[in-house]
Amino acid sequence: MTRIVHLSDTHFGTEIPDVVRALKQAIAELEPNIVLLTGDITQRARQGEFQAAKDFLDQLPVQTKLVIPGNHDIPLFNVFARLLTPYAAYQRAFGDREFTWCGDGVGIIGFNTTSRFRHTTGLLNPDYLTRRIHDIREKIGVDALLIACVHQPLSTAWPEDHGNVLLQSEAIAHAFSALKVDVVLSGHVHVPLMTSTHAVFPTLGRHFLLAGAGTAVSHRTRPNAPNSFNVITANTATEGVPTMMLTRFDFDAGVGKFIASATMQGICQDGGWQLRPL
Ligand SMILES: [Fe+2]
Ligand SMILES: [Fe+2]
């Protein structure tokens, strides 16, 4: 079993100290194997904001921390920095813009979907993702669960956000499906999402799960979408039928804590993933 805390859109620079404290406590209690942060780590890609984010991650009692950038992690107003050295501050704090992690029966691959030439739109070349997924599959084996991480989502919970999905999202979904990706984690819209691809991309050969995290600690929340994060608990094929438990934790300002507010169970049968509420 692998337990992953999936955070997104921390937007350090706009963080709420009480929510940061509550998040640290929640993660310590959950004792995950991995903490993932799917971009918009900072509000304006400033050095101090990256340092605050790094300090936060360094203080978590978790061995593995994996990050990718979001559109807010490259400079917006300094056009020269944006075009010439867009990832300089990110890389000083976190190093690589993409990652590959291989564990016991689980692989996680992180893609940088930002672009210095686009303000918010996310890009991911299907040929490029295919090459990288072939590489990780060679390492983890065909039966391992494969988790892909992007900043901009393939789909959104709210219809008004449909314009914020990755460009070529349908082609990317078909590539992920063909390559036996099991779940795609994302952020960007500050509204959580838990679904399978059945409803969104009905023609896929093999369906997978979509899990989006809201903004973990920023005051940039949206109406009816408080600060939140997701926990993914993956049980691999060696432990029976592959399953994945997705749990959303919402910040409850009344008690000053993150509370489990929704749990869905994903089951992989007949070559594809289904999701049902628990
Ligand atoms: Fe964001
Ligand atoms: Fe974003």
Side-chain angles (χ1 to χ4, degrees), residues 8-11 39-40 43 71-72 151 187-190 215 220:
S8 199
D9 296 78
T10 45
H11 287 272
D40 283 0
Q43 175 62 10
N71 51 297
H72 276 261
H151 178 61
H188 188 52
V189 290
H190 301 195
T215 169
R220 293 171 50 106

Side-chain angles (χ1 to χ4, degrees), residues 24 51-62 65 93-94:
K24 282 182 191 165
Q51 191 58 51
K54 189 171 185 323
D55 290 345
F56 165 76
L57 288 175
D58 285 347
Q59 288 162 18
L60 298 178
V62 180
K65 294 137 187 175
F94 296 113

Side-chain angles (χ1 to χ4, degrees), residues 10-161:
T10 45
H11 287 272
F12 275 91
T14 67
E15 76 274 25
I16 306 169
D18 283 349
V19 182
V20 174
R21 271 192 290 278
L23 181 59
K24 282 182 191 165
Q25 185 186 342
I27 293 172
E29 289 170 2
L30 285 162
E31 299 183 355
N33 307 97
I34 297 167
V35 170
L36 274 172
L37 176 45
T38 53
D40 283 0
I41 299 163
T42 67
Q43 175 62 10
R44 284 286 164 246
R46 295 187 176 108
Q47 189 93 11
E49 295 170 347
F50 278 114
Q51 191 58 51
K54 189 171 185 323
D55 290 345
F56 165 76
L57 288 175
D58 285 347
Q59 288 162 18
L60 298 178
V62 180
Q63 192 172 8
T64 303
K65 294 137 187 175
L66 305 170
V67 299
I68 51 171
N71 51 297
H72 276 261
D73 299 318
I74 55 180
L76 175 62
F77 301 118
N78 184 338
V79 177
F80 291 108
R82 182 182 183 79
L83 292 176
L84 298 175
T85 56
Y87 301 102
Y90 173 92
Q91 286 177 304
R92 270 196 291 273
F94 296 113
D96 292 341
R97 284 168 270 170
E98 301 194 304
F99 66 81
T100 298
W101 182 89
C102 301
D104 190 17
V106 177
I108 311 178
I109 186 163
F111 294 97
N112 170 24
T113 54
T114 67
S115 164
R116 71 189 76 188
F117 303 113
R118 303 252 185 189
H119 178 201
T120 59
T121 313
L123 312 172
L124 181 55
N125 182 303
D127 294 333
Y128 170 71
L129 82 84
T130 298
R131 280 198 305 277
R132 283 198 59 212
I133 289 180
H134 278 308
D135 288 346
I136 190 172
R137 269 280 173 225
E138 274 187 17
K139 292 181 188 130
I140 62 175
V142 71
D143 290 328
L145 291 178
L146 183 51
I147 298 169
C149 303
V150 291
H151 178 61
Q152 292 89 347
L154 284 171
S155 180
T156 62
W158 294 355
E160 60 262 44
D161 294 327

Side-chain angles (χ1 to χ4, degrees), residues 231-273:
V231 176
I232 296 97
T233 306
N235 294 295
T236 62
T238 54
E239 297 159 293
V241 177
T243 60
M244 236 181 279
M245 198 86 81
L246 308 180
T247 304
R248 190 181 84 232
F249 285 73
D250 287 336
F251 182 70
D252 183 330
V255 295
K257 287 183 173 181
F258 280 90
I259 307 287
S261 54
T263 300
M264 307 275 279
Q265 185 177 35
I267 298 179
C268 186
Q269 282 177 320
D270 304 323
W273 284 88

